[in-house]
């Protein structure tokens, strides 16, 4: 990749802060080229991390099978596939192995030539084409995907756009499974391709040969492998459509990776971006806007929403984006509930705060009190007001995210944990009646990120929910988990922790 990775922790004088607050969209590393080459890339092998990977871009007109090919090469279902032309808008990226080599693979939006200037979709098509051309310029290798069934004006126009990059291009004609349509596919030879292959993305025909061609001649000498300790912090941005998720993602990464438009539902796939903040690598996941089921009218939007929700399984921290003028919605509550169940760090983000008539601290406290009232069991979750468009408040937002990540990955020693437990039990002894009788023996921390604890008791079913809540509150207040979800599981045991031969650690 050739674009440098922003570092918000260093000043950037040429972009002064908007308003009175410092912006996080400031600064860059001194050696831009070297920093970009060190940008970590995630892939579908979670225990591996790679740097300095060649970028391979899949380009083509709508509905030629780019997303199907992307999913086949990455062995995932990350890119949405649907018969509707133009499903992919933003670039979808992943790290994968092609012919035994790790590469950074990108699926781009379809290159659409014929557009109705009176249609709202026309503006979106222009943005998609602009983004596709930008990615083609950056690529180390371009895979031009064509459809065997016909040659269209979009094909001819895109081939013309490819002429300056002919030396790094290979062409593949899709939908030729079992030799079908090969006679028609040969019509593409008239354009003088140096390397033209016949494949089937759906059925796998000739994909091994295609993969060999894709990596042939690429420079892998600078590729290095990292460890899990080098893994970036992953932040997912979720919320309703048009709350500014893509604007925030672009402000954080100093890119235009996510297409921004007033058109609701612009983002469909999950768009990933990377940057540095306070010496930490961060990955941001910009997701599709989530609406109520009754308002989801397209299959494409259904898959977009499902993909957005699945990011909760991949991220560490979640930004719940809300329009400060509109406030909370039922969808915000449902998304937050899903994030809470998965034990993710949660930040409520009040975006477009600059548009509020009253921007005083009193008004902010009122908005925060309202959110905490609606989420009574989550009054520990931070609430941050920002303006993504003006980059106001982003530094505070990122500092909060780092605080949450530190709590998510904090591990308490079992001995110290049980000393604290004994103190809690002494201050507020468990209720003891003939109907409710139990003894809590000991506890251990079973996981970090999400943070889970296991408590052993003589009759775990008798432990009232109110007492479990008391223990959760003590864990948050005394052990440094005051801004994240904490889960407790009860298990039967009659043995004291001190009497165990091998205390769990």
């Amino acid at each position: 990749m050739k674009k440098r990775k922003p570092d918000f922790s260093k000043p950037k004088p040429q972009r002064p802060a908007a308003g009175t607050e410092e912006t996080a969209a400031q600064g860059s590393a001194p050696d831009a080229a070297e920093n970009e080459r060190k940008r970590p890339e995630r892939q579908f092998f979670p225990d591996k991390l790679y740097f300095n990977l060649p970028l391979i871009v899949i380009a083509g007109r709508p509905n030629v099978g780019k997303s199907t090919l992307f999913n086949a090469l990455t062995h995932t279902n990350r890119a949405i596939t649907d018969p509707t032309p133009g499903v992919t808008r933003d670039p979808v990226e992943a790290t994968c192995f092609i012919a035994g080599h790790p590469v950074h693979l990108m699926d781009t939006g379809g290159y659409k030539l014929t557009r109705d200037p009176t249609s709202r979709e026309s503006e979106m098509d222009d943005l998609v084409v602009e983004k596709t051309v930008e990615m083609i310029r950056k690529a180390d290798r371009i895979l031009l995907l064509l459809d065997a069934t016909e040659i269209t004006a979009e094909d001819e126009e895109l081939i013309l756009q490819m002429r300056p990059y002919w030396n790094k291009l290979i062409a593949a004609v899709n939908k030729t499974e079992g030799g079908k349509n090969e006679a028609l596919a040969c019509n593409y030879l008239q354009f003088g391709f140096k390397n033209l292959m016949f494949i089937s993305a759906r059925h796998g025909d000739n994909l091994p040969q295609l993969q060999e061609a894709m990596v042939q001649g690429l420079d892998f000498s600078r590729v290095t492998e990292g460890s899990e300790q080098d893994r970036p912090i992953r932040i997912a941005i979720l919320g309703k459509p048009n709350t500014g998720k893509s604007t925030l993602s672009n402000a954080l990464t100093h890119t235009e990776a996510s297409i921004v438009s007033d058109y609701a539902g612009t983002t469909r796939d999950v768009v990933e971006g990377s940057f540095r903040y306070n010496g930490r690598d961060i990955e941001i996941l910009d997701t599709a806007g989530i609406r109520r089921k009754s308002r989801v009218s397209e299959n494409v939007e259904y898959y977009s929403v499902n993909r957005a929700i699945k990011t909760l399984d991949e991220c560490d921290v979640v930004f719940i984006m809300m329009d400060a003028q509109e406030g909370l919605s039922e969808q915000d509550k449902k998304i937050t509930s899903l994030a809470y169940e998965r034990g993710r760090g949660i930040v409520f983000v009040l975006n477009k705060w600059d548009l509020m008539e009253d921007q005083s601290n009193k008004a902010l406290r009122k908005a925060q009190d309202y959110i905490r009232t609606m989420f009574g069991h989550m009054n520990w979750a931070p609430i941050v007001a920002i303006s993504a468009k003006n980059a106001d408040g982003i530094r505070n937002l990122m500092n909060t995210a780092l605080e949450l990540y530190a709590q998510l990955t904090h591990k308490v020693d079992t001995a110290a944990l049980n000393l604290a437990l004994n103190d809690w039990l002494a201050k507020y002894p468990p209720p003891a009646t003939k109907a409710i009788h139990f003894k809590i023996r000991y506890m251990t921390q079973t996981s970090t990120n999400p943070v889970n604890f296991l408590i052993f008791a003589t009759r775990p079913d008798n432990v009232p929910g109110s007492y479990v809540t008391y223990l959760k509150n003590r864990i948050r207040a005394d052990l440094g988990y005051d801004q994240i979800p904490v889960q407790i599981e009860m298990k039967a045991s009659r043995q004291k922790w001190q009497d165990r031969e091998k205390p769990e650690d």
Side-chain angles (χ1 to χ4, degrees):
M1 302 287 289
K2 296 183 175 57
K3 184 178 290 184
R4 62 176 172 79
K5 183 171 21 176
D7 187 343
F8 290 168
S9 59
K10 297 182 180 181
K12 186 179 181 184
Q14 64 269 33
R15 290 192 63 182
T20 58
E21 192 167 349
E22 285 185 292
T23 72
Q26 292 180 338
S28 62
D31 190 335
E34 185 64 20
N35 278 346
E36 176 53 26
R37 281 297 183 181
K38 288 183 178 180
R39 188 169 85 88
E41 309 291 354
R42 291 286 291 177
Q43 50 128 14
F44 55 89
F45 300 102
D47 58 334
K48 297 287 185 180
L49 194 69
Y50 294 95
F51 300 85
N52 315 326
L53 295 179
L55 172 63
I56 300 178
V57 170
I58 304 174
R61 65 173 168 84
N63 225 24
V64 295
K66 297 185 299 300
S67 296
T68 301
L69 179 60
F70 178 89
N71 289 343
L73 293 174
T74 60
H75 303 283
T76 67
N77 289 308
R78 295 186 56 157
I80 297 173
T81 57
D82 189 89
T84 306
V87 168
T88 301
R89 288 172 174 169
D90 296 286
V92 181
E93 309 171 60
T95 300
C96 63
F97 276 94
I98 302 292
H101 297 279
V103 302
H104 191 67
L105 188 67
M106 180 181 292
D107 175 25
T108 61
Y111 189 95
K112 203 171 181 180
L113 179 63
T114 306
R115 300 187 283 276
D116 180 3
T118 63
S119 170
R120 185 68 187 270
E121 284 284 347
S122 177
E123 175 191 348
M124 189 61 57
D125 293 336
D126 288 337
L127 293 171
V128 171
V129 169
E130 181 182 337
K131 182 62 59 180
T132 297
V133 172
E134 178 187 347
M135 293 301 108
I136 287 171
R137 287 198 297 266
K138 295 177 180 178
D140 297 298
R141 174 62 41 82
I142 303 166
L143 172 56
L144 176 61
L145 196 62
L146 306 161
D147 191 320
T149 59
E150 62 174 337
I151 300 176
T152 68
E154 279 92 354
D155 292 319
E156 296 182 3
E157 176 68 21
L158 185 53
I159 291 170
L160 185 63
Q161 292 273 359
M162 294 292 184
R163 292 296 178 184
Y165 316 105
W166 212 246
N167 62 333
K168 61 179 183 180
L169 177 136
I170 60 173
V173 185
N174 191 26
K175 306 178 185 178
T176 62
E177 54 271 12
K180 183 178 72 173
N181 299 321
E182 282 194 5
L184 293 171
C186 288
N187 290 324
Y188 285 103
L189 292 172
Q190 64 180 294
F191 296 103
F193 292 115
K194 296 179 181 179
N195 197 344
L196 183 66
M197 309 187 70
F198 298 159
I199 69 163
S200 171
R202 183 175 297 279
H203 299 279
D205 293 27
N206 295 324
L207 287 193
Q209 295 87 334
L210 175 66
Q211 292 183 67
E212 292 288 346
M214 289 170 67
V215 298
Q216 187 176 5
L218 290 179
D219 181 13
F220 293 95
S221 62
R222 294 176 58 85
V223 175
T224 58
E225 185 176 327
S227 64
E228 183 63 18
Q229 287 72 27
D230 301 320
R231 185 179 71 82
I233 301 171
R234 289 169 68 80
I235 301 174
I237 311 176
L238 284 89
K240 294 191 306 179
N242 249 17
T243 52
K245 297 184 296 297
S246 295
T247 303
L248 175 60
S249 177
N250 289 346
L252 288 168
T253 59
H254 283 185
T255 70
E256 298 297 328
S258 296
I259 295 175
V260 176
S261 171
D262 292 335
Y263 187 79
T266 298
T267 302
R268 286 173 169 171
D269 286 290
V270 176
V271 184
E272 297 190 19
S274 299
F275 61 98
R276 283 186 67 82
Y277 183 77
N278 281 358
R280 292 300 306 261
D281 287 316
I282 311 289
E283 281 191 1
I284 205 79
L285 308 175
D286 176 22
T287 67
I290 300 176
R291 299 194 291 177
R292 293 201 307 269
K293 281 186 179 180
S294 61
R295 295 189 177 181
V296 176
S297 56
E298 306 175 50
N299 285 338
V300 171
E301 186 174 358
Y302 170 80
Y303 290 118
S304 298
V305 169
N306 280 356
R307 195 65 44 81
I309 292 173
K310 284 183 179 179
T311 60
L312 292 173
D313 297 321
E314 305 172 6
C315 67
D316 305 302
V317 176
V318 180
F319 290 164
I320 305 294
M321 288 283 285
M322 294 176 284
D323 188 321
Q325 295 177 302
E326 297 180 3
L328 276 171
S329 69
E330 287 300 316
Q331 286 306 97
D332 294 326
K333 298 174 188 177
K334 292 177 181 178
I335 299 167
T336 303
S337 177
L338 293 172
Y340 175 81
E341 290 171 4
R342 288 163 172 78
R344 304 306 177 203
I346 299 169
V347 184
F348 293 107
V349 183
L350 290 171
N351 190 29
K352 306 181 184 180
W353 189 253
D354 57 311
L355 301 180
M356 297 289 287
E357 291 184 8
D358 185 357
Q359 301 176 29
S360 65
N361 290 334
K362 183 178 180 180
L364 177 58
R365 285 194 298 270
K366 184 178 179 180
Q368 292 172 334
D369 289 342
Y370 170 72
I371 293 174
R372 292 193 173 102
T373 300
M374 299 303 294
F375 294 94
H377 66 294
M378 287 179 52
N379 54 14
W380 37 263
I383 303 168
V384 179
I386 70 165
S387 169
K389 185 176 182 180
N390 299 332
D392 290 338
I394 297 183
R395 182 176 293 277
N396 183 30
L397 179 62
M398 288 308 305
N399 287 341
T400 302
L402 292 187
E403 289 174 14
L404 265 60
Y405 185 76
Q407 294 189 16
L408 287 167
T409 54
H410 176 55
K411 180 72 182 290
V412 181
D413 178 74
T414 302
L417 189 58
N418 283 278
L419 286 174
L421 177 62
N422 290 335
D423 184 52
W424 301 335
L425 296 176
K427 288 181 178 178
Y428 182 23
T433 66
K434 289 183 178 181
I436 302 176
H437 183 72
F438 63 91
K439 287 186 179 180
I440 290 180
R441 295 302 190 185
Y442 65 97
M443 71 185 299
T444 184
Q445 185 174 357
T446 55
S447 71
T448 59
N449 197 16
V451 174
N452 293 316
F453 294 89
L454 182 61
I455 295 182
F456 293 87
T458 54
R459 293 181 177 86
D461 292 340
N462 285 355
V463 181
S466 58
Y467 202 76
V468 174
T469 300
Y470 162 73
L471 293 174
K472 281 186 180 181
N473 291 338
R474 294 322 316 159
I475 288 172
R476 286 201 182 92
D478 298 347
L479 301 182
Y481 300 105
D482 62 328
Q483 296 186 90
I484 63 169
V486 170
Q487 299 298 335
I488 292 179
E489 180 186 354
M490 307 298 296
K491 190 173 182 180
S493 175
R494 294 184 176 276
Q495 192 174 28
K496 293 182 179 180
W497 174 72
Q498 296 91 330
D499 299 334
R500 291 174 60 85
E501 293 182 5
K502 292 183 178 181
E504 296 186 30
D505 196 357

